[in-house]
Amino acid sequence: VCADIRELIEVDDVMEDESLRFGPNGGLVFCMEYFANNFSWLEESLGHVEDDYVLFDCPGQIELYTHLPVMKQLVEQLQQWEFRVCGVFLVDSQFMVESFKFISGILAALSAMISLEIPQINVMTKMDLLSKKAKKEIEKYLDPDMYSMIEDSTNILKSKRFKKLTKSICGLIDDYGMVRFLPLDRSDEESINIVLQHIDFTIQYGEDLEFKEPKECEEDKSALVDEYFQDRVDE
């Protein structure tokens, strides 16, 4: 089954409508709100067969997940249709190789988790495009120590006000302790399998399978991630 929202509404049509006069961002928000008012179209397009595994390729505009109720409404509707829902939050690893950018990315992921209130897997994508040096640098961001990042940034933060603000933000992230990232290298089948296993475990996909205990799954995750980076060091 493949459903394309453009069969319902298109951003270009909204932007070209002289009575609306929306730009790209406003047009996208309008389209998503129109979609939220027409979930009957989605229900008809998807159907509902037992053991369906449905992937939603969602827009990248962060406001949809942190400031607006549209995606939350979609989640609630899917749950009413008895789907088990898991969010997969993708962040470009090339954007995350510096402390300040990483803090921005982790705040975006945390905001989406709190807003949507569903299990969420956070993934660093495009690991295959990083240099060996960048891969080694980014390893510390997969299970970050936020306060050590403040120390790393001491020379950059000249203003005491910014230092205090950054420390407060890092404290907030550390207190929640909810955001961890998995590396995704599309050239490495094992890396893809690790991410897929975590998603499947989160939604408990496949009732005929023997489920792992969460603790066992976490141990497997650490071992597999460590193995991924060790392989890169050996290359």
Side-chain angles (χ1 to χ4, degrees), residues 96-111:
M96 303 282 273
V97 293
E98 298 177 8
S99 297
F100 289 111
K101 293 179 179 179
F102 174 78
I103 292 173
S104 175
I106 204 171
L107 279 175
L110 181 59
S111 296

Side-chain angles (χ1 to χ4, degrees), residues 103-132:
I103 292 173
S104 175
I106 204 171
L107 279 175
L110 181 59
S111 296
M113 292 177 73
I114 294 173
S115 176
L116 297 180
E117 298 182 314
I118 56 174
Q120 180 169 300
I121 304 297
N122 301 298
V123 179
M124 281 193 190
T125 63
K126 303 180 182 178
M127 294 292 292
D128 49 300
L129 300 182
L130 295 178
S131 65
K132 290 184 178 180

Side-chain angles (χ1 to χ4, degrees), residues 18-176:
E18 294 185 0
S19 64
L20 297 175
R21 297 182 179 276
F22 283 121
N25 289 342
L28 178 59
V29 171
F30 180 90
C31 288
M32 293 304 295
E33 291 178 342
Y34 183 86
F35 169 62
N37 290 319
N38 290 274
F39 282 144
S40 57
W41 169 85
L42 179 63
E43 184 177 20
E44 182 179 346
S45 299
L46 292 179
H48 193 171
V49 180
E50 187 176 355
D51 291 333
D52 272 357
Y53 197 117
V54 182
L55 302 179
F56 289 85
D57 183 8
C58 300
Q61 190 174 0
I62 190 62
E63 291 90 340
L64 296 174
Y65 313 94
T66 57
H67 296 76
L68 301 172
V70 177
M71 300 307 295
K72 176 69 172 177
Q73 291 169 359
L74 173 59
V75 166
E76 291 173 347
Q77 184 62 73
L78 291 171
Q79 290 172 335
Q80 288 180 22
W81 291 336
E82 298 183 344
F83 282 98
R84 295 172 181 170
V85 184
C86 168
V88 182
F89 193 88
L90 306 179
V91 180
D92 191 329
S93 60
Q94 298 175 97
F95 175 78
M96 303 282 273
V97 293
E98 298 177 8
S99 297
F100 289 111
K101 293 179 179 179
F102 174 78
I103 292 173
S104 175
I106 204 171
L107 279 175
L110 181 59
S111 296
M113 292 177 73
I114 294 173
S115 176
L116 297 180
E117 298 182 314
I118 56 174
Q120 180 169 300
I121 304 297
N122 301 298
V123 179
M124 281 193 190
T125 63
K126 303 180 182 178
M127 294 292 292
D128 49 300
L129 300 182
L130 295 178
S131 65
K132 290 184 178 180
K133 180 180 179 181
K135 285 182 180 179
K136 185 175 181 181
E137 179 70 17
I138 210 169
E139 183 177 357
K140 67 182 180 182
Y141 295 133
L142 296 176
D143 189 8
D145 178 354
M146 299 309 300
Y147 291 101
S148 68
M149 290 187 183
I150 299 176
E151 298 299 324
D152 293 342
S153 305
T154 300
N155 294 331
I156 302 174
L157 292 171
K158 303 299 183 181
S159 167
K160 290 184 179 180
R161 292 176 59 191
F162 281 120
K163 286 181 182 179
K164 185 176 180 180
L165 175 61
T166 303
K167 184 175 181 180
S168 298
I169 291 173
C170 289
L172 174 68
I173 295 171
D174 197 66
D175 289 344
Y176 270 94

